[in-house]
Amino acid sequence: MTTTTDVILTDAGPLDDALAQLAGAVEKLGYGSGMHQLLAKPRREMSVSIPLRRDNGDVEVLSGYRVQHNFSRGPAKGGLRFSPHVSLDEVRALAMWMTWKCALLDVPYGGAKGGITIDPTQYSTGELSRVTRRYTSEILPIIGPEKDIPAPDIGTDEQTMAWMMDTFSANVGYTVPSVVTGKPVSLGGSLGRSSATSKGVVHVALAALEYRGLTPSFATAAVQGFGKVGAGSAQFLAEAGVKVVAVGDQYGSIHNSNGLDIPALQAHVAATGTVRGFGDSEPIDAAALLGLEVDLLVPAAVEGVINADNAANIRALIVVEGANGPTTAAADKILAANSVLVVPDILANAGGVIVSYFEWVQGNQAYWWTANEVDERLETRMIQGWRCVLETSIRRELSLREAATVTAVERVADAHLTRGLYP
Ligand code: NAD
């Protein structure tokens, strides 16, 4: 097992980062090696081959995974990612972070994650439907409303969830809406789910600005990633009065020091698929976006973008992690040394799993809430989470990430200790 005394000088992968964060929390909490191993190892992993008949008749075999890191506090919960970079280790890291996120926000789930190694932009809708359905059918024995509940992540959306729900339901012989969350409202999805992650990001971003004595209408922000999390974060920051001066996606980044017109940019992205080429802005490179002198930097794309190579260039006062694992363990140390306040992913982007939980609750009760009820309960939970992490960080003299991880790990370990070890 790694300990915090093993100095991290260079970037490892997301799994090493997740394990290093866990090791730090275990050390602070004083747990022994048995508990450490219990929390470090996924409870269950499934690797599947997914044969796909392409539209031209060729057959291709893709790789897919579902990792259930922990279910001591309830069924496993976590997104499904479609990306060419998906690997088993990445899915393991993401599943572990889901366990901590659910525990930190006190939603009654453990953590899971799924992934398929595929570039979804290179496949037709029919092909994506067949891939999703075959994957669902392969992992069917280990998912279900009381076992493991998938949701959208990078490269997947509510249509993907509708296909999963339909495949699961067709196989068991009756309709099971609560096997997934993030599904279309017409199939039992929750109002407010699609905006939940980004609204949650903005609730904690505004709380962090206030904590640092900054007023939204005088604050500036840069957002990396303009998908489900990034575009909404930019929109809700702008609606709160923050000047969003730069955004980027995998195809390019743009900048306007007077603030970007976010609704017009969303229309541009809907039409072209990228922020690149948006009028009333100049292009900047991705590294320059991360190094802008802004109050808020919101990485909302992929893991490891703030790393040992570029962390010293970050000039933002506050980093709010919309993405999972955007800051490597090595970068964390550099940001801390430079007094950059990092609001960690397991708190900052928890809005999605909170409203996924609300969706599951509504589905189980077959009784739906209004958009206002969802939004108000989301805000209450996010602010409770922020206050809990801030209070722990001050009381125990920890960074916000350490405070969040320690709080979450302690709750999961408590559940293990209270349940006892079977047999
Ligand atoms: P998405 O597929 O909707 O969007 C991803 C965006 O990131 C796209 O704009 C893409 O172009 C951009 N991108 C990809 N690689 C990039 C790179 N190297 N540099 C700059 N931009 C890049 O995905 P999403 O659902 O918005 O997820 C983004 C992040 O948020 C992921 O880390 C995901 O795990 C996390 N997250 C998502 C949710 C959710 O509800 N969707 C919840 C919690 C956390």
Side-chain angles (χ1 to χ4, degrees):
M1 293 276 119
T2 325
T3 71
T4 40
T5 46
D6 296 335
V7 181
I8 300 157
L9 295 172
T10 53
D11 294 317
L15 182 59
D16 292 296
D17 285 344
L19 287 169
Q21 289 157 7
L22 170 64
V26 163
E27 195 173 272
K28 287 179 188 73
L29 290 162
Y31 297 138
S33 131
M35 179 60 81
H36 190 177
Q37 287 179 58
L38 203 64
L39 300 173
K41 268 187 166 307
R43 280 289 288 275
R44 187 184 285 154
E45 301 183 337
M46 197 167 198
S47 296
V48 295
S49 295
I50 308 159
L52 163 70
R53 191 181 312 283
R54 302 227 38 183
D55 291 340
N56 66 6
D58 288 352
V59 172
E60 184 179 316
V61 180
L62 300 158
S63 297
Y65 312 96
R66 187 76 190 168
V67 174
Q68 297 168 341
H69 170 256
N70 192 287
F71 22 71
S72 60
R73 300 179 70 257
K77 183 91 189 80
L80 169 64
R81 176 172 293 194
F82 284 2
S83 153
H85 309 294
V86 161
S87 68
L88 183 53
D89 271 357
E90 181 190 57
V91 178
R92 285 174 173 146
L94 291 163
M96 183 185 290
W97 285 323
M98 280 306 298
T99 302
W100 311 144
K101 194 181 297 181
C102 293
L104 179 66
L105 277 297
D106 209 10
V107 295
Y109 296 133
K113 201 81 180 188
I116 301 179
T117 313
I118 183 175
D119 178 354
T121 62
Q122 301 305 308
Y123 292 79
S124 70
T125 303
E127 289 170 335
L128 291 174
S129 162
R130 294 198 286 283
V131 169
T132 304
R133 288 176 180 283
R134 184 60 186 254
Y135 169 78
T136 306
S137 148
E138 295 292 338
I139 65 165
L140 199 110
I142 64 165
I143 60 169
E146 289 163 348
K147 296 181 188 172
D148 179 0
I149 307 127
D153 191 72
I154 292 180
T156 57
D157 57 17
E158 60 176 33
Q159 177 61 71
T160 323
M161 294 305 112
W163 291 326
M164 290 192 86
M165 183 269 220
D166 181 64
T167 307
F168 186 91
S169 301
N171 274 274
V172 298
Y174 54 95
T175 298
V176 189
S178 294
V179 64
V180 290
T181 58
K183 53 191 174 288
V185 171
S186 60
L187 293 179
S190 177
L191 295 171
R193 170 62 184 87
S194 55
S195 56
T197 308
S198 38
K199 279 195 176 157
V201 165
V202 173
H203 289 317
V204 291
L206 297 179
L209 281 178
E210 190 184 352
Y211 173 62
R212 277 280 155 109
L214 298 162
T215 312
S217 51
F218 292 105
T220 54
V223 179
Q224 185 202 45
F226 206 73
K228 294 185 287 299
V229 181
S233 299
Q235 179 192 332
F236 299 123
L237 282 171
E239 286 175 7
V242 175
K243 199 190 287 178
V244 181
V245 296
V247 300
D249 62 22
Q250 68 199 99
Y251 308 106
S253 302
I254 56 168
H255 179 252
N256 180 342
S257 52
N258 295 318
L260 294 159
D261 178 345
I262 302 300
L265 176 59
Q266 284 171 320
H268 171 83
V269 173
T272 66
T274 172
V275 301
R276 224 173 50 184
F278 178 61
D280 204 18
S281 68
E282 70 270 8
I284 51 166
D285 65 44
L289 179 142
L290 291 176
L292 286 172
E293 198 173 336
V294 284
D295 298 305
L296 289 167
L297 173 62
V298 182
V302 289
E303 299 97 63
V305 292
I306 303 177
N307 48 50
D309 294 333
N310 65 9
N313 304 330
I314 303 291
R315 290 185 295 161
L317 295 179
I318 304 167
V319 173
V320 181
E321 296 186 329
N324 286 308
T327 310
T328 66
D332 240 353
K333 291 182 192 304
I334 299 166
L335 295 182
N338 292 340
S339 302
V340 178
L341 185 71
V342 179
V343 184
D345 46 8
I346 60 171
L347 169 63
N349 68 37
V353 79
I354 290 172
V355 176
S356 274
Y357 164 52
F358 295 165
E359 180 176 329
W360 181 77
V361 168
Q362 293 170 77
N364 289 341
Q365 295 182 331
Y367 180 80
W368 275 266
W369 308 349
T370 64
N372 271 349
E373 283 171 318
V374 172
D375 282 351
E376 277 170 21
R377 289 173 196 198
L378 167 66
E379 182 169 6
T380 302
R381 290 228 173 203
M382 289 304 298
I383 296 303
Q384 272 170 355
W386 160 261
R387 288 194 184 133
C388 163
V389 171
L390 183 64
E391 186 273 321
T392 308
S393 108
I394 294 168
R395 181 169 45 83
R396 299 186 74 144
E397 297 184 0
L398 301 172
S399 70
L400 294 180
R401 190 189 313 283
E402 289 167 334
T405 311
V406 161
T407 304
V409 168
E410 190 169 33
R411 288 181 185 167
V412 177
D414 271 355
H416 275 288
L417 293 170
T418 311
R419 287 177 62 159
L421 193 60
Y422 173 84

